[in-house]
Amino acid sequence: MSAATRRLTTAQALVRFLSAQYTERDGVRRRLIAGTWGIFGHGNVAGIGQALVEYADVMPYHQGRNEQAMVHAAVGYARQLNRLSAQAVTTSIGPGATNLVTGAALATVNRLPVLLLPGDYFASRVADPLLQQLEHPVEADVSVNDTLRPVSRYFDRVTRPEALVPSALGAVRVLTDPAETGAVTLALPQDVQAEAYDWPEEFFAERVWSVRRPAPDPAELAAAVAAVRAARRPLVVAGGGIHHSEAEEALKAFVEATGIPVASTQAGKGSLRHDHPADLGGIGHTGTAVSDELARTADLVIGVGTRYTDFTTASGTLFQNPDVRFLNLNITGFDAHKLAARTLVCDARSGLELLTEALAGHRVEPSYEAEYRAGKERWEQVVETAYRAQDETAVPTQTQVLGALDAVVGDEDVVINAAGSLPGDLHKLWRSRSPRQYHLEYGYSCMGYEIPAALGVQQAAPGTPVWALVGDGTYLMNPTEIVTAVQENLPVKLVLVQNHGYASIGGLSESVGAERFGTAYRHRAGDGTFTGAPLPVDLAANAASLGMDVLRAKTVRELRDALAEARASSRPTCVYVETDPAPTAPPAEAWWDVPVAEVSAREAAARARARYDTEVAERRRHL
């Protein structure tokens, strides 16, 4: 080994190291950390900040406005590139660091890589306590960055320069591990960031991390083949792991060989193109009628790359066949073992290819294919009804907003959403035309994700039309990255839907006996009561004040024209529309467990509890 060294600060060494890390899968190499988002304050300005200036030629820098939003942008970037490339986020100590927690949780819940570099207090304790320091009376080594431990897949506090070597290598190992990835946190005391050290030259050598495609165990594969051959009503549940593995073509080959239909989770939607005969759309509480009907009678559920959240399983009430069994193909044993399943622990693409090969000649009964294809046709008429506007001069409903967007987008467009009533409408109704078109963050369902995520997706896919679909509640949570879009000339398209309240939670509140309390935006009168008048808030003017071009649409026709204009624009553009609040989306096809007050003096809650007791009785434990 060479004895050559290079004298750099810890922060400089970290930036140089990160600039030399690459991933490789299927012979394609990518830069692992393609850029760094940052907001500077004491704790990172003199360390990481100086290092980013020093090495601006090898590490691009992006200026953010909100720490949580920077993480969302990095997550959007990583998801668009199938987790093969990521971004870092640096913050000051104190509130800058704790603002990372929500974004870190979102990344880890969704198994998406992001590197977090928060500043930390002095390792030497020479300045103690310092500005923004949390003092703990019995644990002196605790800092606010410890809040990131439970939401990180890897965490380390680098308290000496030489500790960076194993810590940085460990961080990259987790970032590039398809089974373990998520948020990775390296907390960096500000004195250590600025401290110089003689680093071995090998630390800065180009390093390529192979992203594995593990094949299934032969015994597990044989058992899986036997289970599929024995099934009469099998159903694939496609999760986000199909996209991460780039297994869409393998899934298509599997279903075309076997005739087994596919229903998708929020993360898995788009695994098959919407007009494929075997694509049944979303599954679960926000699923389609055809998917949920088949799920109730399926005798084998083949989960591919799914975590089986409560929305997917309808809180344990969806899969009702007394003889139903599960076969889970997943890169993590943790997820593969859910629902007492037979397991196929492997990469999604590798597993599907080998399963297709081993099932050569096997196909479901023609009557089963005819059944689900007829159900798909019936559901398509439901979509058409929800999208269609009888009067194009009328105020659009929310589903008609989706219909207008559906008429404008191309196969390459990306549509982003995360929270509110839109995820349910999109899961039921959206016609995904390509693997990356449907970008729903529904693992954490984080309000405020959409706009910053659109920035990350736009960075990952320049030239691609990227749409952030945002309700008024979500917009008010986190609009500030509009300024970043303007600064970086990222031509994202924002569809801002104004319905004057938290529509999704309002509906849920009504259904559980909480009477829509606290879910509408209304004036408070002088006597303290609320009136029905909407607040005089102009969100379109706000978006314009932050630098966006704004197009206001009052009718269905104006909306469609505005969407087309926004798609053609080379600048960040907002289409603002107030919607008719009348519900036009098809109702939920399956239940979701939100516990209702067991006792109450209010009639609405008592009625809701009676309904709840009926529904919860259908829950099953799959053992």
Side-chain angles (χ1 to χ4, degrees):
M1 180 181 291
S2 170
T5 60
R6 190 185 313 186
R7 191 162 181 79
L8 301 173
T9 68
T10 303
Q12 291 165 357
L14 177 58
V15 171
R16 289 296 304 184
F17 169 82
L18 292 174
S19 71
Q21 308 305 301
Y22 293 83
T23 64
E24 185 173 85
R25 187 170 71 181
D26 304 330
V28 178
R29 182 177 298 190
R30 291 184 180 273
R31 173 85 172 261
L32 173 60
I33 302 299
T36 298
W37 289 90
I39 297 175
F40 295 111
H42 85 100
N44 70 336
V45 66
I48 291 292
Q50 189 282 326
L52 289 170
V53 172
E54 187 101 3
Y55 298 119
D57 58 329
V58 295
M59 180 58 70
Y61 165 71
H62 309 293
Q63 186 181 57
R65 268 72 199 174
N66 174 283
E67 291 87 358
Q68 177 181 319
M70 293 193 298
V71 186
H72 292 338
V75 166
Y77 180 92
R79 176 169 168 172
Q80 181 67 20
L81 295 176
N82 298 318
R83 308 191 300 186
L84 299 174
S85 186
Q87 293 176 323
V89 177
T90 179
T91 73
S92 63
I93 68 172
T98 52
N99 280 351
L100 295 172
V101 173
T102 295
L106 181 147
T108 296
V109 164
N110 288 285
R111 320 299 213 264
L112 292 165
V114 61
L115 176 60
L116 308 180
L117 305 173
D120 214 321
Y121 313 144
F122 283 73
S124 61
R125 311 285 178 88
V126 294
D128 183 60
L130 64 147
L131 179 65
Q132 299 176 326
Q133 180 172 342
L134 172 72
E135 293 184 273
H136 197 290
V138 295
E139 294 182 82
D141 64 338
V142 167
S143 86
V144 296
N145 287 334
D146 288 281
T147 60
L148 288 160
R149 288 182 185 271
V151 293
S152 298
R153 294 295 284 173
Y154 181 92
F155 179 98
D156 196 11
R157 180 175 288 114
V158 183
T159 55
R160 292 184 56 84
E162 59 266 38
L164 178 66
V165 174
S167 184
L169 291 169
V172 174
R173 176 190 63 78
V174 173
L175 287 169
T176 58
D177 189 318
E180 297 297 328
T181 195
V184 167
T185 300
L186 297 183
L188 303 171
Q190 58 178 310
D191 54 344
V192 176
Q193 288 182 50
E195 188 174 346
Y197 182 74
D198 294 322
W199 303 90
E201 282 289 348
E202 290 83 0
F203 186 54
F204 307 115
E206 184 176 296
R207 194 180 303 263
V208 179
W209 299 77
S210 177
V211 179
R212 302 184 294 279
R213 286 197 181 279
D217 176 84
E220 285 195 336
L221 180 61
V225 170
V228 176
R229 288 188 180 279
R232 292 294 173 265
R233 299 182 63 82
L235 174 68
V236 169
V237 174
I242 289 177
H243 293 310
H244 299 329
S245 177
E246 299 175 309
E248 295 89 359
E249 287 300 315
L251 177 66
K252 181 181 177 184
F254 174 77
V255 301
E256 289 180 352
T258 63
I260 298 174
V262 175
S264 303
T265 68
Q266 287 279 16
K269 193 172 170 78
S271 295
L272 285 182
R273 187 179 159 96
H274 75 93
D275 52 6
H276 191 286
D279 180 67
L280 307 183
I283 190 171
H285 177 63
T286 53
T288 68
V290 59
S291 287
D292 288 350
E293 286 166 6
L294 261 66
R296 291 184 180 96
T297 60
D299 58 359
L300 180 68
V301 178
I302 307 169
V304 184
T306 178
R307 300 187 299 120
Y308 286 113
T309 67
D310 60 342
F311 260 56
T312 298
T313 67
S315 300
T317 65
L318 185 59
F319 306 110
Q320 287 296 320
N321 187 325
D323 300 319
V324 67
R325 293 294 180 265
F326 296 83
L327 167 63
N328 291 339
L329 192 165
N330 204 293
I331 201 164
T332 73
F334 175 80
D335 289 314
H337 280 87
K338 289 176 178 176
L339 302 176
R342 292 186 181 276
T343 60
L344 207 56
V345 181
C346 59
D347 169 75
R349 194 171 88 181
S350 297
L352 284 169
E353 288 173 347
L354 288 171
L355 196 57
T356 303
E357 180 182 338
L359 286 166
H362 174 76
R363 193 170 184 88
V364 298
E365 293 292 331
S367 59
Y368 185 50
E369 286 192 74
E371 176 187 343
Y372 70 68
R373 290 189 182 197
K376 177 180 173 66
E377 289 179 9
R378 288 193 300 272
W379 186 257
E380 185 59 29
Q381 293 306 308
V382 173
V383 175
E384 288 292 342
T385 300
Y387 277 3
R388 188 184 309 120
Q390 300 294 339
D391 180 2
E392 293 210 335
T393 64
V395 173
T397 64
Q398 183 163 283
T399 59
Q400 289 165 359
V401 171
L402 299 185
L405 186 61
D406 175 78
V408 168
V409 300
D411 288 10
E412 68 276 21
D413 294 37
V414 179
V415 176
I416 301 172
N417 187 241
S421 57
L422 277 165
D425 293 356
L426 285 160
H427 199 208
K428 292 186 188 83
L429 303 173
W430 188 256
R431 297 160 167 164
S432 297
R433 301 168 187 176
S434 61
R436 278 284 160 234
Q437 182 172 85
Y438 188 86
H439 184 127
L440 261 285
E441 189 291 295
Y442 215 60
Y444 210 49
S445 187
C446 185
M447 295 178 72
Y449 171 82
E450 295 91 338
I451 295 173
L455 273 59
V457 171
Q458 193 75 81
Q459 288 178 325
T464 297
V466 179
W467 302 85
L469 273 59
V470 177
D472 46 58
T474 291
Y475 180 85
L476 288 167
M477 288 272 186
N478 198 8
T480 53
E481 296 315 306
I482 288 174
V483 177
T484 306
V486 173
Q487 178 176 337
E488 301 239 347
N489 196 29
L490 296 170
V492 295
K493 294 89 173 64
L494 170 62
V495 181
L496 178 50
V497 179
Q498 171 68 280
N499 56 23
H500 300 286
Y502 299 115
S504 174
I505 295 302
L508 177 62
S509 173
E510 185 173 29
S511 72
V512 298
E515 303 175 52
R516 293 185 176 264
F517 178 76
T519 62
Y521 304 153
R522 296 179 296 174
H523 272 292
R524 187 187 291 272
D527 62 359
T529 61
F530 288 102
T531 71
L535 298 176
V537 176
D538 190 339
L539 300 184
N542 179 260
S545 75
L546 297 177
M548 267 196 149
D549 293 344
V550 175
L551 305 171
R552 295 176 184 257
K554 295 183 178 180
T555 68
V556 174
R557 182 177 297 128
E558 289 178 4
L559 174 62
R560 192 166 52 247
D561 291 343
L563 292 170
E565 184 176 344
R567 188 174 188 273
S569 177
S570 60
R571 277 187 37 79
T573 303
C574 170
V575 176
Y576 174 84
V577 58
E578 294 200 34
T579 55
D580 182 339
T584 53
E589 297 290 339
W591 186 61
W592 180 42
D593 189 350
V594 178
V596 178
E598 192 168 1
V599 295
S600 174
R602 299 185 70 84
E603 185 180 349
R607 287 197 307 268
R609 181 66 195 197
R611 291 192 301 270
Y612 178 83
D613 289 339
T614 299
E615 296 284 1
V616 78
E618 299 298 316
R619 192 198 311 276
R620 291 185 61 187
R621 293 284 187 187
H622 298 283
L623 300 171

